[in-house]
Amino acid sequence: MDFPFLLSTMKSLLAATPTTLGLFSLSIFFGGLLALLIVTMRVSNNIVARNFAKGYIFVFRGSPLLIQMFLVFYGLGQFGVIRHSIVWPALREPFVCAVLSLALCTGGYSAEIFRSGLRAVPPGEIEAARAAGMSGFLLLRRIIAPIAFRHALPAYSTEIVLMVKSTALASLVTVWEITGVAQRLISQTYRTMEVFMCAAALYLILNFLILQVLALIEHRLNRHNLRPAERKPSVMSAFFGARP
Amino acid sequence: MSATPRLSVRNIRKSFGTHEVLRGISLDAHDGDVISVLGASGSGKSTFLRCINLLETADDGDIVVNGEEIAMKTTPRGRGAASRKQLDRIRSELGMVFQSFNLWSHMTILENIIEGPVQVQKRPRADCVAEAEALLEKVGIADRKDYYPAHLSGGQKQRAAIARSLAMHPKVILFDEPTSALDPELVGEVLHVMRDLAAEKMTMLVVTHEMGFARNVSNRVIFMRDGQIDCDGPPQDMFGGKGSPHFRQFIRHMETEHHAA
Ligand SMILES: Nc1ncnc2c1ncn2[C@@H]1O[C@H](COP(=O)(O)OP(=O)(O)OP(=O)(O)O)[C@@H](O)[C@H]1O
Ligand SMILES: [Mg+2]
């Protein structure tokens, strides 16, 4: 085992980790906002909005993310309106293109996940809230969203982990994230196994940490399914203080 | 009795498609009235109750709560409340207790009870908590305040739901078969709470199959049949043989069913 080589490889890959995390967190953030918009359209009474959302979800779930990314990266510049608009300097950046296509794609998946959460909200609990005088945003914020999010969280956790791995595709549009840097190292050293093993280990560590956080959130939100005796103070409450 | 009725329902009509479920129902509930609504399955009892707080929108007729009429409007999409604000406020003054409890599963019992007072009525949280604890004491589940609904028995859940509606200081409470989803041995604890409320002069409209409650606790019994009020009166008259032939047949049927069970 060539430890000095592994160490220097790890060092280069670690230097690329902020880029991977940037791709991941920005696309989850914007994709999440987009998903809220799409799911709102998907469950609305407006037939145009509903069908647009259906079409959106179908397209972005039904086609390969890599092709979506290529279309965004190579395709947008074909349109004069885009090339001459003020957003063009940003859209020329590979990083921005990668975030855009990752967000567009996870927006479609997350919208469906959120919708399944909404469908799991018991109608009787919504009725009880209406009967108590809640409506509109108050009803959404206090009753519908918290129950829907609890139901959606396991599936959404899976989507988040998939997104960490999907950032690797950005290497193909010349973003120097972990996988891109790994490939560059391989082309310089021809030591495929060692480099890719290091990269895989790094992704595993990232996902392990992210899953830990998600599990804590899930545990905390699932307290209503635990018996009172099982509700021991969680790590989250150690961080943020116990709930009143 | 000239005081303003707590609740006044005037000539409510409601159809689902071509099926006319309510065909003109009127009713006044005065302060302290406990009105039992009886009727066969499918006679429209739940629909009637749900039209009062507009969980269903009646096709015609008015609802007046404490002298204030709920303003309605008709648009191409159908009839509805004219003002969401007024509707929300009036709903918060009408308690509702459901057959299936409908406690909010993601909140503890205490959180369920303070939710409406804090979020809808904007009362200070500390006051609401103190009052909620007193209410839980009153319905006998003070020791369950930090439990989630999933860990309560049916009878405890229904008592919590009653406490939740009491916390809003309602003018009237609507009960839709509050004991029908309960195991027989748990019915008594809920009826006990309801009997206490009746003794405190809470105005209540109770859809029920509990003949004992209708006979002994309510001061008025209404028998619904085919979307109309078939007959009504004080329980001693109704159960003393003065009801319509249909009502007499209904109670005979209920009693044989009860003995069979
Ligand atoms: N949302 C709805 N859509 C269509 N039909 C409905 C709806 N709700 C109720 N109905 C019909 O209206 C009629 C009256 O129903 P309702 O639930 O008011 O009866 P009920 O007297 O409460 O009966 P039960 O004792 O079984 O609860 C029934 O025939 C029912 O099928
Ligand atoms: Mg019913």
Side-chain angles (χ1 to χ4, degrees), chain B residues 5-234:
Chain B
R6 290 288 190 183
L7 171 70
S8 187
V9 178
R10 297 189 200 133
N11 206 23
I12 288 287
R13 294 180 171 275
K14 174 73 181 173
S15 301
F16 291 110
T18 57
H19 180 191
E20 194 171 23
V21 177
L22 300 179
R23 316 185 193 192
I25 295 209
S26 300
L27 168 112
D28 278 354
H30 289 272
D31 207 8
D33 272 351
V34 177
I35 302 177
S36 289
V37 180
L38 308 181
S41 180
S43 57
K45 306 178 300 291
S46 296
T47 308
F48 171 52
L49 225 54
R50 293 163 58 80
C51 281
I52 293 174
N53 63 5
L54 269 77
L55 287 179
E56 301 285 358
T57 314
D59 304 327
D60 195 18
D62 303 314
I63 307 291
V64 186
V65 179
N66 232 27
E68 182 182 357
E69 182 177 329
I70 303 182
M72 301 296 287
K73 68 172 177 203
T74 307
T75 64
R77 301 173 86 199
R79 197 165 181 257
S83 153
R84 199 182 83 178
K85 240 178 117 179
Q86 189 208 22
L87 177 63
D88 284 347
R89 181 170 45 76
I90 289 186
R91 276 175 168 168
S92 75
E93 296 168 357
L94 287 172
M96 182 138 190
V97 174
F98 300 85
Q99 180 174 350
S100 50
F101 329 123
N102 295 347
L103 292 169
W104 298 305
S105 52
H106 61 301
M107 298 181 186
T108 64
I109 296 306
L110 186 77
E111 288 167 343
N112 263 276
I113 292 171
I114 65 172
E115 181 69 10
V118 171
Q119 300 294 336
V120 177
Q121 296 177 329
K122 313 279 184 217
R123 277 152 49 194
R125 194 187 157 89
D127 297 1
C128 297
V129 170
E131 195 187 323
E133 285 171 345
L135 283 171
L136 286 171
E137 191 76 51
K138 176 174 163 164
V139 301
I141 48 171
D143 55 332
R144 293 289 184 270
K145 73 182 167 96
D146 292 323
Y147 281 51
Y148 286 89
H151 304 124
L152 263 55
S153 72
Q156 291 171 333
K157 278 190 233 188
Q158 196 58 297
R159 287 185 279 157
I162 293 172
R164 175 173 70 173
S165 71
L166 287 173
M168 304 287 279
H169 303 164
K171 307 246 167 30
V172 181
I173 306 186
L174 313 172
F175 293 81
D176 191 2
E177 300 197 28
T179 57
S180 296
L182 300 178
D183 292 338
E185 71 271 20
L186 301 178
V187 169
E189 61 192 48
V190 172
L191 289 180
H192 181 83
V193 168
M194 292 171 64
R195 196 170 291 132
D196 287 351
L197 289 180
E200 291 167 20
K201 294 288 167 215
M202 173 58 79
T203 311
M204 298 154 69
L205 196 56
V206 186
V207 172
T208 185
H209 290 300
E210 292 293 330
M211 291 301 135
F213 182 88
R215 195 192 291 256
N216 303 320
V217 184
S218 51
N219 64 341
R220 192 168 155 205
V221 173
I222 285 181
F223 178 60
M224 280 182 65
R225 187 170 161 271
D226 286 342
Q228 286 179 314
I229 294 181
D230 189 63
C231 60
D232 82 288

Side-chain angles (χ1 to χ4, degrees), chain A residues 37-90:
Chain A
L37 182 73
I38 300 285
V39 77
T40 306
M41 293 168 79
R42 181 66 182 78
V43 300
S44 85
N45 289 322
N46 184 317
I47 187 155
V48 179
R50 207 165 58 227
N51 282 322
F52 175 84
K54 271 189 199 172
Y56 182 95
I57 291 166
F58 174 70
V59 167
F60 283 92
R61 287 204 312 174
S63 61
L65 173 55
L66 181 59
I67 292 181
Q68 294 167 21
M69 206 177 271
F70 280 154
L71 283 174
V72 169
F73 186 62
Y74 297 110
L76 287 183
Q78 312 269 316
F79 298 97
V81 266
I82 294 177
R83 219 168 42 242
H84 297 118
S85 72
I86 51 161
V87 292
W88 181 241

